[in-house]
Amino acid sequence: MTIKDEDLINAAKDARENAYCRYSGFSVGAAIVDEQDHLHVGCNVENAAYNLGNCAEAAAIAAMVQDGGKRIVRMAVAGGHDEIASCTPCGGCRQRINEFGNNDTVIIVIDDSNEWREYAIAELLPASFHLDIT
Ligand code: THU
């Protein structure tokens, strides 16, 4: 059974509740549906050494890989200070999504009116870097 967008979005919002973001006050949650229709979530985890902080998308991708998921089919991101604001994935996370996504991958970004916009990874990261290995 396919996970509904509404459930994916709620999973991202729920994950956001657990964000550890004491330095920025900007909490982010991300939720992924993989090719096996399994759900994986992550939140941002900051650190007193600022550059060691991790993004929510990176955490959700790590959870997917750990659980045996191979591809991101759909992903939802919810972030903001107090209320949800539009939080498109950062540059580094676009590259991470690119690694596990494909042309059909949909990235749902929830905005301040609780509406959402869907993006393709090629839209967020045009002319992306790929490494061909044999
Ligand atoms: N952050 C994410 O988790 N995902 C993004 O795509 C953008 C930024 C986090 C990193 C940091 O903990 C906080 O949001 C403010 O930049």
Side-chain angles (χ1 to χ4, degrees):
M1 198 185 121
T2 301
I3 294 164
K4 294 190 190 108
D5 281 345
E6 193 187 331
D7 295 331
L8 186 66
I9 287 165
N10 284 333
K13 288 180 182 171
D14 286 349
R16 180 176 176 247
E17 296 295 316
N18 291 326
Y20 180 82
C21 58
R22 61 186 299 192
Y23 302 104
S24 71
F26 193 91
S27 53
V28 187
I32 291 171
V33 181
D34 71 16
E35 80 291 349
Q36 301 168 71
D37 211 29
H38 292 169
L39 179 69
H40 312 278
V41 299
C43 63
N44 55 331
V45 181
E46 298 184 346
N47 193 281
Y50 287 3
N51 60 324
L52 296 180
N54 289 328
C55 286
E57 297 90 327
I61 289 170
M64 179 189 83
V65 172
Q66 160 63 31
D67 290 347
K70 306 290 181 216
R71 311 302 308 166
I72 301 171
V73 176
R74 297 178 85 77
M75 178 174 208
V77 182
H81 276 105
D82 294 316
E83 300 302 316
I84 292 176
S86 186
C87 174
T88 46
C90 78
C93 286
R94 293 175 191 209
Q95 183 69 29
R96 290 187 178 98
I97 296 165
N98 194 55
E99 183 77 22
F100 296 99
N102 58 29
N103 289 339
D104 297 324
T105 296
V106 174
I107 300 123
I108 298 169
V109 177
I110 301 130
D111 72 16
D112 53 0
S113 333
N114 226 23
E115 301 293 323
W116 69 85
R117 189 176 154 185
E118 298 187 1
Y119 296 90
I121 189 59
E123 215 180 338
L124 295 178
L125 193 67
S128 64
F129 173 70
H130 290 270
L131 193 60
D132 289 327
I133 49 168
T134 50

